[in-house]
Amino acid sequence: MARMPKPIETPVPSRAELIDHLVRTRIAGQVATPRENNLSHYRKLANGDRHYWLGLELGDRWSDEQDVLAVMAERCGVVDDPEVRHGQDTIDPELTVAGLDRLAARLRKAAADRQRVLFATGHPGGLLDVHRATAAALRAAGCEIVVIPQGLVADEGSVWQFADVAVLERGATLWHTHSPAPMAAILDALAAEGRPQPDLVVADHGWAGCAAQRGLDAVGYADCNDPALFLGEAEGTLQVAIPLDDHVRDPRYYDPMVAYLLNAAGLY
């Protein structure tokens, strides 16, 4: 496979260097998300609030919030003690890097098979450039980056593609959304046009959950207050959930993480 031009000019960190960076920038480790917020989201998911299901169909399988907490402790690294109700929560940086390694393996397969890949984000303020750089690397490796149909609407907004990444736009603003509706609009429109569904969806929030629920290969970045994607991974619906704080103070903090990911995938 021909080597691509580097999409970002960032040195590739070692695993130990990346873990140190993740903790220092609070992408992982002691993250900004309050414990109270995490537990509230776990409880609402368990109580059947579909806003927190992120497009997945969880049925009554996760109706005990303690079961949700146990999965989040195992797969994300939050504090496993249910009596800890206050303060900052944690994401285990080792689990973040392990998730990146699993994602890298899936990206390597996509590149080897020159698959059709769709990128989308409900967190454009944090993760847009993470997805953009990954899309650029896969395109250079011969993948088809899916171009979404025009004129799509969802949740009183427009579904656009910006820098190869599908986003929700309202009032000239890229919108933070957990909704699965924008991804549903894309997949339905592709089918209506007689175009194939993506071989792989790289996303977050409801964009990833919706794609996974429809049976597509899907991977997603997820914060410690978004348990649904980790439950989807635990059940085998979602291929990979990568735990991280999805909106740190400076989006450039994610650059070493992307360099590590693309290098591990053979794309950097």
Side-chain angles (χ1 to χ4, degrees):
M1 181 187 304
R3 287 283 175 176
M4 59 163 285
K6 292 185 178 181
I8 50 176
E9 293 301 327
T10 301
V12 177
S14 67
R15 185 184 185 92
E17 288 170 339
L18 178 59
I19 287 173
D20 178 72
H21 173 78
L22 295 174
V23 172
R24 185 162 28 84
T25 57
R26 301 183 74 184
I27 295 172
Q30 290 281 343
V31 294
T33 310
R35 178 69 167 183
E36 300 93 319
N37 182 262
N38 281 348
L39 295 180
S40 172
H41 286 199
Y42 304 168
R43 182 169 55 256
K44 290 174 181 176
L45 179 147
N47 288 339
D49 187 334
R50 285 180 172 266
H51 173 78
Y52 297 93
W53 288 15
L54 302 182
L56 293 165
E57 291 298 330
L58 301 177
D60 59 0
R61 299 184 298 278
W62 300 99
S63 58
D64 186 337
E65 65 182 281
Q66 300 308 318
D67 291 341
V68 178
L69 175 60
V71 170
M72 293 303 292
E74 176 189 9
R75 292 180 178 266
C76 184
V78 302
V79 176
D80 62 0
D81 184 353
E83 299 304 315
V84 176
R85 315 292 300 180
H86 305 286
Q88 300 309 120
D89 216 331
T90 57
I91 293 175
D92 185 342
E94 293 279 357
L95 294 177
T96 303
V97 178
L100 292 170
D101 289 338
R102 295 196 304 278
L103 173 55
R106 185 60 186 84
L107 296 178
R108 185 182 291 271
K109 172 178 172 53
D113 296 344
R114 299 198 170 188
Q115 292 184 335
R116 297 181 305 277
V117 187
L118 173 63
F119 288 84
T121 185
H123 232 304
L127 299 179
L128 179 63
D129 204 49
V130 172
H131 292 301
R132 178 209 59 79
T134 310
L138 285 179
R139 172 181 279 111
C143 288
E144 175 189 342
I145 305 305
V146 175
V147 176
I148 70 171
Q150 294 182 325
L152 301 182
V153 294
D155 295 331
E156 301 180 344
S158 300
V159 185
W160 285 0
Q161 201 161 24
F162 182 72
D164 284 331
V165 185
V167 294
L168 182 68
E169 183 273 343
R170 291 184 196 162
T173 300
L174 302 186
W175 207 255
H176 173 213
T177 177
H178 290 72
S179 173
M183 178 59 75
I186 293 172
L187 300 179
D188 289 345
L190 289 173
E193 292 183 358
R195 294 169 56 192
Q197 297 289 291
D199 298 310
L200 174 64
V201 174
V202 182
D204 48 69
H205 287 180
W207 304 81
C210 174
Q213 187 61 45
R214 293 202 179 194
L216 301 177
D217 282 7
V219 298
Y221 297 97
D223 209 329
C224 56
N225 62 356
D226 293 327
L229 295 190
F230 297 101
L231 301 182
E233 183 187 37
E235 293 190 330
T237 309
L238 188 84
Q239 290 201 335
V240 183
I242 305 98
L244 49 65
D245 187 317
D246 54 16
H247 197 143
V248 293
R249 183 169 58 86
D250 185 345
R252 293 274 70 82
Y253 289 163
Y254 296 111
D255 286 357
M257 182 190 80
V258 175
Y260 176 92
L261 171 67
L262 298 183
N263 184 67
L267 299 170
Y268 193 69

